[in-house]
Amino acid sequence: MRRALGLAIAILVIPAAAFAVDRALVEQAKSANTFERARAAGPLAKDGSPAAAKLLLDLARDTDPFVRDAAVLAGDSLENPAGVKLVAGSARSRDELLRLNLAELLGRTRSADAFETLRGLVGKDRSARVRGRALDWLWGWSKVPGALDLAVEAYGDDDPAVRAAAVEAAGRMRGEAALELTRKALADEDEGVRCVARMELRYLAPDEALAGLEEGRKAEGWRTRAQTVEDALHLRKVAAVDALVELVGDEVLRVSVAAHRALVALSGKEIGRDVELWRAWWKVNRANWKAPKGKLGEAKGGGKKSVARFQGVEIVSGRVCFVLDRSGSMADPMKGDADGRTCWQYVTAELAKTLDALPDGTKVNVVTFNNVPTVAARAPRTLGKKSRAALSRFATKQSAGGRGDLLAAMMLALSMPEIDTVILLSDGTPSHGEIVNRVRARSFIRAKNRMAKRAIMTIGFGAVVPPERKFMEGVARDSGGVCVFR
């Protein structure tokens, strides 16, 4: 009897010990040091026990964004069903940011145990941001029963951004239901949703997408025409070049420049942004043209109608927003500057020169950011003598210091309906705000811009380490823009 009782106790005790979180890891997760807490996220997720998952949740609620981001990214390693269930239970929190982060954390698990929670976030969460983010993390769930159906159902949402996320999620999962949804979304009342549907159609039904390029290039909305450029470049067919040649003559510079760059990439020729020259070239070469294979080279120039430059970036748009980083690094002395200016003083002086070079009638706004973004005007100013002086004065009155909420500044710029081009100058180190991890920040910018269709040009100002440079290059590349380093 005593031997049997002892064996039963041993059986009960061993599993409890096996699921105990290492004491050193517990101390690390509760450390006063931000770096140590962030480092604890991955091991806690790999442990996956309820006790470890509870600590991971604490990190997801942390006041420091670096720690919160680390907890979200650790979702890739969270596999224990008990741990997933515990984390999922907090998705009903009143804290919108926590729900937003848990949508991604649970999405990263690719766990069937997380699916019902994601279903609830997609269908019932009161925040469109959360509903959209949950859909963005269904992309890799094509093998989970019900995932595609969930995306299709979500297309009934009242918010256009959520519908766009639903169309992209379904398109990424493929299948006949995804194709039917995409065809339906081509007639959506919102132009941004229609753009996303066109983007997905080129993967689901390339021949249909190719046939729709002619209609796309004639569309009334410039965003649809910009999307048509992207689709034509992706499809690389004769009919695609037909559309691009005509779009070189588009009245909106944002579209014309994109079409020109696409043609240079597909043809290897540079004959300026002149529609008649491209028509003549295409008439001679159309019959024997063969699409290039593999990765295309990047065309840097904007063609003969470039109107100004800012830090090496050609400004070929009539509606521009400058987003300028004025965090602590910009208070450093500008190396090699004969006037002994700080980096920020140098940048604002260059901005003034660019504003002077831009023609009258150009619509311009300026956003500067450190701990919070600050915007020069509620709506872009139409350039004239007084507006140039006002915009320049706004920038020079700002001072450099603090951290940088790059994501909030970009969300602000991408929300301006009158803008079609954003020029971001930064060292590529987000350091303040809701999200600071570069991978996450880039994904949020991309998601915002999938409907907005702004061309994003980036200037890596003092971006010297590979992660900084990769981030700045990626943000530009996602929109078909150009990145330069200074």
Side-chain angles (χ1 to χ4, degrees):
M1 178 70 74
R2 288 178 180 175
R3 185 174 297 174
L5 182 60
L7 181 60
I9 292 173
I11 292 173
L12 290 172
V13 170
I14 290 173
F19 286 100
V21 183
D22 179 80
R23 183 179 296 275
L25 184 55
V26 173
E27 292 177 356
Q28 186 179 15
K30 297 182 178 181
S31 171
N33 184 288
T34 297
F35 179 69
E36 288 300 316
R37 296 200 305 281
R39 281 185 57 198
L44 287 171
K46 288 180 180 179
D47 180 306
S49 65
K54 185 178 183 302
L55 289 170
L56 184 64
L57 260 177
D58 290 341
L59 298 181
R61 297 188 184 99
D62 201 277
T63 57
D64 192 288
F66 291 94
V67 179
R68 295 195 300 266
D69 284 345
V72 171
L73 296 171
D76 290 331
S77 302
L78 183 61
E79 298 178 354
N80 188 322
V84 172
K85 184 176 181 180
L86 189 144
V87 171
S90 290
R92 300 184 187 91
S93 169
R94 293 182 180 181
D95 183 343
E96 183 189 38
L97 179 58
L98 178 62
R99 300 196 312 276
L100 186 79
N101 283 334
L102 290 186
E104 180 173 341
L105 195 161
L106 292 169
R108 286 178 174 275
T109 68
R110 302 289 192 268
S111 167
D113 297 290
F115 183 69
E116 287 307 313
T117 298
L118 283 174
R119 181 190 293 278
L121 291 174
V122 168
K124 299 178 181 178
D125 198 277
R126 55 189 173 276
S127 166
R129 278 208 309 166
V130 175
R131 299 196 300 274
R133 195 61 179 168
L135 283 164
D136 283 340
W137 281 93
L138 281 178
W139 290 0
W141 290 54
S142 57
K143 296 181 180 179
V144 175
L148 179 55
D149 292 338
L150 176 57
V152 173
E153 292 168 11
Y155 181 69
D157 200 284
D158 291 335
D159 192 287
V162 178
R163 296 201 300 276
V167 172
E168 186 166 16
R172 293 294 183 103
M173 288 186 275
R174 307 291 191 257
E176 188 60 34
L179 179 56
E180 290 179 10
L181 174 61
T182 301
R183 288 168 174 158
K184 181 179 180 181
L186 288 171
D188 195 277
E189 63 183 10
D190 185 272
E191 185 183 9
V193 178
R194 298 197 298 272
C195 286
V196 175
R198 284 179 172 274
M199 176 179 69
E200 291 307 316
L201 188 66
R202 72 194 192 201
Y203 299 106
L204 296 167
D207 290 341
E208 288 184 34
L210 196 66
L213 292 178
E214 181 68 10
E215 177 189 2
R217 79 167 183 84
K218 295 178 180 179
E220 182 178 350
W222 70 263
R223 287 186 290 167
T224 302
R225 302 198 300 276
Q227 182 65 57
T228 301
V229 172
E230 292 181 22
D231 298 337
L233 182 60
H234 173 86
L235 291 166
R236 301 190 195 185
K237 300 289 186 179
V238 168
V241 181
D242 289 339
L244 289 172
V245 167
E246 296 306 312
L247 285 168
V248 167
D250 198 275
E251 62 183 7
V252 175
L253 276 175
R254 153 77 176 95
V255 179
S256 174
V257 169
H260 171 258
R261 289 190 177 122
L263 280 174
V264 172
L266 290 175
S267 68
K269 304 291 182 181
E270 170 54 285
I271 52 178
R273 204 168 63 253
D274 186 311
V275 65
E276 294 302 330
L277 288 177
W278 280 107
R279 283 172 178 163
W281 171 83
W282 189 229
K283 183 177 181 180
V284 172
N285 292 278
R286 189 179 191 276
N288 297 315
W289 178 78
K290 295 186 182 301
K293 297 181 180 180
K295 185 177 180 180
L296 296 174
E298 183 177 298
K300 295 284 187 181
K304 70 178 183 181
K305 295 181 183 179
S306 300
V307 292
R309 286 178 177 269
F310 179 64
Q311 292 294 291
V313 169
E314 290 179 299
I315 300 177
V316 276
S317 169
R319 299 181 290 179
V320 185
C321 182
F322 295 88
V323 179
L324 309 177
D325 186 343
R326 60 180 179 92
S327 59
S329 62
M330 297 299 286
D332 294 339
M334 181 69 189
K335 293 181 179 179
D337 185 66
D339 298 322
R341 295 173 294 184
T342 65
C343 292
W344 179 245
Q345 290 170 333
Y346 170 79
V347 166
T348 55
E350 292 299 303
L351 175 66
K353 293 178 182 178
T354 300
L355 292 174
D356 285 342
L358 287 168
D360 287 349
T362 304
K363 292 182 179 295
V364 176
N365 211 339
V366 179
V367 174
T368 69
F369 68 93
N370 54 6
N371 289 40
V372 293
T374 305
V375 62
R378 292 183 179 179
R381 302 287 300 272
T382 301
L383 285 188
K385 185 176 180 180
K386 289 184 178 180
S387 57
R388 282 187 180 90
L391 289 168
S392 181
R393 188 165 56 250
F394 163 79
T396 56
K397 281 186 175 181
Q398 309 294 317
S399 58
R403 295 187 174 185
D405 193 347
L406 184 152
L407 181 59
M410 286 298 292
M411 293 295 104
L412 177 59
L414 292 172
S415 297
M416 296 177 185
E418 305 92 339
I419 292 299
D420 62 31
T421 300
V422 175
I423 299 178
L424 168 65
L425 181 145
S426 174
D427 62 4
T429 305
S431 56
H432 190 73
E434 290 185 341
I435 288 131
V436 295
N437 176 269
R438 294 184 185 91
V439 173
R440 298 194 71 210
R442 178 181 168 185
S443 73
F444 273 86
I445 292 169
R446 182 199 171 278
K448 179 73 174 178
N449 203 36
R450 66 183 153 207
M451 297 173 67
K453 305 310 300 180
R454 277 40 171 176
I456 301 176
M457 311 295 176
T458 59
I459 302 163
F461 194 86
V464 293
V465 299
E468 294 170 347
R469 297 173 77 90
K470 183 178 180 181
F471 171 72
M472 296 298 283
E473 288 173 335
V475 169
R477 185 169 56 249
D478 290 341
S479 73
V482 172
C483 174
V484 300
F485 294 101
R486 306 295 287 178

